[in-house]
Amino acid sequence: MTLFNIRWAMRHTLAIVALTTACSTLTVQASSTPAEKKAAHSYTHQTAPTQFIEVEGARLAYRRFGKPSAVPLVFLQHFVGNLDSWDPKVIDGFARDREIILFDNAGVASSSGEVPNTIEGMAKYASGLLQALNVKKADLLGFSMGSLIAQQVTLDHPNLVRRLILVGSSPRGGVGMDSLTPEFQGYLAKKRAVPDELLLDVFFTQTIESQAAGHEFLTRLRSRRVNRDVDVDSKTAPAQAAAIAGWGAPAGNANDYLKGIKQPTMVVAGSHDIVFYTVNDVTLQQSLPNAQLVIYPDSNHGAIYQYPDLFLKHATLFLNGVK
């Protein structure tokens, strides 16, 4: 990452932090007994308690709930996102049929430790969390930066991952990935009265229909009022921006590593993604050995939040192995 981009990320940290909502976090112990697992089935995105577990010297915050299943679905979050940055409609939709694990990576929001400045470092904590929770096999859903981490976890621990969903993603050295895109930077610099309305610009297109879906999403996003996760701090954005830029640095034969990801993969994209350009999702699908591609119309980086019901149908069919 260039010195310019590091300074830019630090200068715009307050705008970036608008992607999260500040509040307190409930501390409980990790669930492990059958009774506790059964109780977790009654939790929703709004009520699931935040738990903590030690991983690689960091105390990671996570929420584990949903219908008990042999293969949980693990979510890896976007740039400066926290536990409450996921769409409750999407999370609860999955939780009806399978176990869900959400977590904050090291140094992010309620998790302790230093924020890694490489995707490889973030992947170490993600796989470490699953090992600490005694998860032998998992499906991974990575969104944006989280999709890069999901790829790296799959490369590092292929036996741990069954299926992979990459949302708003990119291969290494992708188009426009060596720094935050000009469009994204422009929207981050824009002044707005309500901070989290930044998401209307970076997750949705400017059409009337897309913006209407965006306002519905914001209402859902704000729905958890008790024991919300805390904000990311000022160190998070620069470290994560550096990690994304490192992943996106141009290199010869940058896509060769994708041959090593043999798991069935679903790549999901918006038709007009200005954060990670849509062409990168196409490249992923063409380069991965066993991948399918879904592109939603009139959509931006948050396509799965513009079409939550349709995405749940597509993703459920994929996770269930339906072709």
Side-chain angles (χ1 to χ4, degrees):
M1 187 179 188
T2 67
L3 180 60
F4 169 81
N5 285 321
I6 292 174
R7 287 174 174 168
W8 177 90
M10 294 176 67
R11 189 165 62 248
H12 289 283
T13 293
L14 290 178
I16 296 169
V17 166
L19 293 171
T20 66
T21 302
C23 217
S24 61
T25 301
L26 176 67
T27 302
V28 299
Q29 298 300 312
S31 299
S32 58
T33 69
E36 287 171 328
K37 289 182 179 180
K38 184 177 180 180
H41 186 27
S42 65
Y43 291 132
T44 67
H45 188 275
Q46 291 191 35
T47 62
T50 301
Q51 307 179 72
F52 294 88
I53 196 164
E54 293 290 327
V55 176
E56 300 285 344
R59 188 167 175 261
L60 299 189
Y62 73 98
R63 295 176 187 158
R64 187 174 187 177
F65 61 102
K67 184 178 179 179
S69 55
V71 181
L73 178 59
V74 182
F75 289 75
L76 297 104
Q77 188 57 284
H78 62 66
F79 181 58
V80 299
N82 67 10
L83 293 170
D84 291 312
S85 298
W86 296 105
D87 186 340
K89 189 170 189 178
V90 170
I91 299 301
D92 289 339
F94 281 119
R96 285 192 292 267
D97 299 316
R98 65 193 76 242
E99 187 178 25
I100 299 298
I101 298 176
L102 315 177
F103 76 102
D104 289 331
N105 212 298
V108 175
S110 295
S111 290
S112 70
E114 295 294 323
V115 181
N117 61 5
T118 65
I119 296 300
E120 291 80 4
M122 295 174 184
K124 180 181 69 172
Y125 285 103
S127 59
L129 173 78
L130 298 183
Q131 292 164 1
L133 293 175
N134 199 32
V135 173
K136 304 300 183 184
K137 185 77 72 173
D139 293 328
L140 304 184
L141 189 158
F143 175 28
S144 190
M145 182 186 73
S147 73
L148 315 182
I149 302 169
Q151 292 178 54
Q152 190 63 50
V153 170
T154 306
L155 289 168
D156 294 341
H157 301 276
N159 293 330
L160 183 61
V161 181
R162 188 188 69 154
R163 285 175 176 262
L164 197 58
I165 300 178
L166 304 176
V167 180
S169 192
S170 175
R172 289 174 179 163
V175 177
M177 289 294 295
D178 56 345
S179 66
L180 303 182
T181 67
E183 298 94 329
F184 189 20
Q185 292 189 39
Y187 282 127
L188 287 171
K190 177 181 173 181
K191 294 182 179 180
R192 46 181 58 80
V194 182
D196 66 1
E197 289 187 354
L198 164 67
L199 297 175
L200 295 176
D201 289 328
V202 299
F203 277 9
F204 301 86
T205 70
Q206 298 303 308
T207 67
I208 294 174
E209 294 79 8
S210 186
Q211 287 295 297
H215 283 284
E216 292 176 3
F217 163 70
L218 285 182
T219 298
R220 298 193 300 269
L221 198 67
R222 299 161 179 163
S223 62
R224 180 166 174 141
R225 300 184 182 277
V226 178
N227 298 318
R228 288 183 67 92
D229 200 2
V230 301
D231 270 344
V232 299
D233 63 24
S234 61
K235 297 179 181 179
T236 301
Q240 291 186 344
I244 294 171
W247 179 272
N253 302 316
N255 295 336
D256 286 356
Y257 78 98
L258 292 170
K259 298 174 184 177
I261 300 178
K262 303 184 185 302
Q263 286 80 352
T265 302
M266 179 181 178
V267 182
V268 183
S271 59
H272 298 87
D273 192 332
I274 57 90
V275 179
F276 289 1
Y277 294 139
T278 306
V279 65
N280 292 314
D281 300 282
V282 177
T283 300
L284 276 175
Q285 189 276 327
Q286 293 179 339
S287 303
L288 287 162
N290 187 9
Q292 57 184 276
L293 174 64
V294 178
I295 299 179
Y296 293 113
D298 182 30
S299 56
N300 197 344
H301 200 51
I304 63 172
Y305 300 151
Q306 182 169 340
Y307 299 95
D309 294 318
L310 187 57
F311 169 65
L312 282 167
K313 290 179 181 178
H314 289 157
T316 299
L317 287 172
F318 169 74
L319 292 173
N320 290 342
V322 178
K323 296 182 179 181

